[in-house]
Amino acid sequence: MRLYSMPSSGNSYKVRLLLALLGRACEIVDVEYMTEALESARAEGRLPFGKAPVLALEDGQLLPESNAILCFLGEGSAYVPADPVLRAEMLGWMFWEQNQHEGTIAVRAALRFYPHRRALATPERMAELLDRGHANLQIMEDRLSGRDWLVGDAVSLADICLYAYTHTAGARGGFDMARFPAIAAWLDRVAALPGYQGLEA
């Protein structure tokens, strides 16, 4: 397999993290923002939706979208609950991550982190994203208070997908993570998983 991966992106990182946790071999092709590698991958039709990550299978099929790739890689593993209700709960958190969480946590970080996006970081926009992001983090905090994982009694794809942008929310996004002790403990649990790989690895 070959993963077209944006090194700085949480969406790409979550796939690299699951591959590491599963011990799966995969060629990594870096396609960072504003690089020739990204433009080449687009021109060659390797990025069906125009963005990374994309997993290229051995038969040539291309799988775009980070959480879809997680579901494919996680099939049959301990990261996907066997119980259909728990599996639906897992998917619910994964849908919420893309629909709500990413749109605040990742977007605010991107406006601060990527030079070509800083012009969009108006004080009003940044304040709005800060408030909404803290509200989304509080949803996670409430869920994780008194429990180890987001779904059931074991780590699942829900934890992997939400870890990616949450673990850099303070450093990159400027969110006040001291307000969320249950999230902090959960981040430590994910980082302690056998095979864990950090964002910069």
Side-chain angles (χ1 to χ4, degrees):
M1 297 185 297
R2 175 181 298 165
L3 178 67
Y4 293 87
S5 168
M6 188 169 288
S8 64
S9 163
N11 280 326
S12 290
Y13 168 57
K14 68 178 75 162
V15 179
R16 297 196 306 273
L17 175 57
L18 182 61
L19 284 166
L21 294 172
L22 292 171
R24 298 282 298 274
C26 185
E27 177 188 354
I28 306 297
V29 179
D30 290 342
V31 288
E32 188 54 84
Y33 272 127
M34 302 182 74
T35 64
E36 184 177 326
L38 177 60
E39 295 309 315
S40 294
R42 284 174 173 158
E44 293 166 4
R46 310 309 291 172
L47 308 178
F49 296 155
K51 61 179 184 176
V54 171
L55 184 67
L57 305 183
E58 293 179 3
D59 64 2
Q61 291 188 77
L62 299 173
L63 297 181
E65 288 298 313
S66 60
N67 287 351
I69 298 170
L70 291 188
C71 288
F72 171 78
L73 292 172
E75 186 75 25
S77 78
Y79 293 96
V80 177
D83 179 81
V85 174
L86 291 179
R87 194 161 60 248
E89 286 186 15
M90 177 195 77
L91 290 169
W93 281 105
M94 296 174 76
F95 297 153
W96 178 81
E97 185 263 349
Q98 288 288 284
N99 183 258
Q100 298 294 325
H101 184 276
E102 186 192 24
T104 55
I105 307 302
V107 168
R108 195 173 199 276
L111 293 178
R112 298 176 82 223
F113 186 78
Y114 297 114
H116 67 286
R117 298 191 64 178
R118 286 180 187 154
L120 301 173
T122 64
E124 296 79 13
R125 177 70 169 144
M126 297 303 278
E128 176 202 12
L129 288 169
L130 188 67
D131 288 344
R132 289 173 54 210
H134 279 141
N136 284 333
L137 290 166
Q138 188 61 54
I139 290 173
M140 293 180 64
E141 177 73 11
D142 293 343
R143 177 67 170 183
L144 289 164
S145 295
R147 60 188 302 147
D148 287 346
W149 307 107
L150 288 167
V151 175
D153 297 324
V155 61
S156 74
L157 297 182
D159 300 287
I160 304 306
C161 89
L162 276 155
Y163 177 84
Y165 283 115
T166 303
H167 88 292
T168 58
R172 289 195 176 184
F175 293 95
D176 181 9
M177 299 307 290
R179 294 164 51 173
F180 309 110
I183 288 179
W186 168 77
L187 293 175
D188 288 343
R189 283 190 289 275
V190 175
L193 292 171
Y196 172 85
Q197 174 182 301
L199 175 65
E200 306 297 335

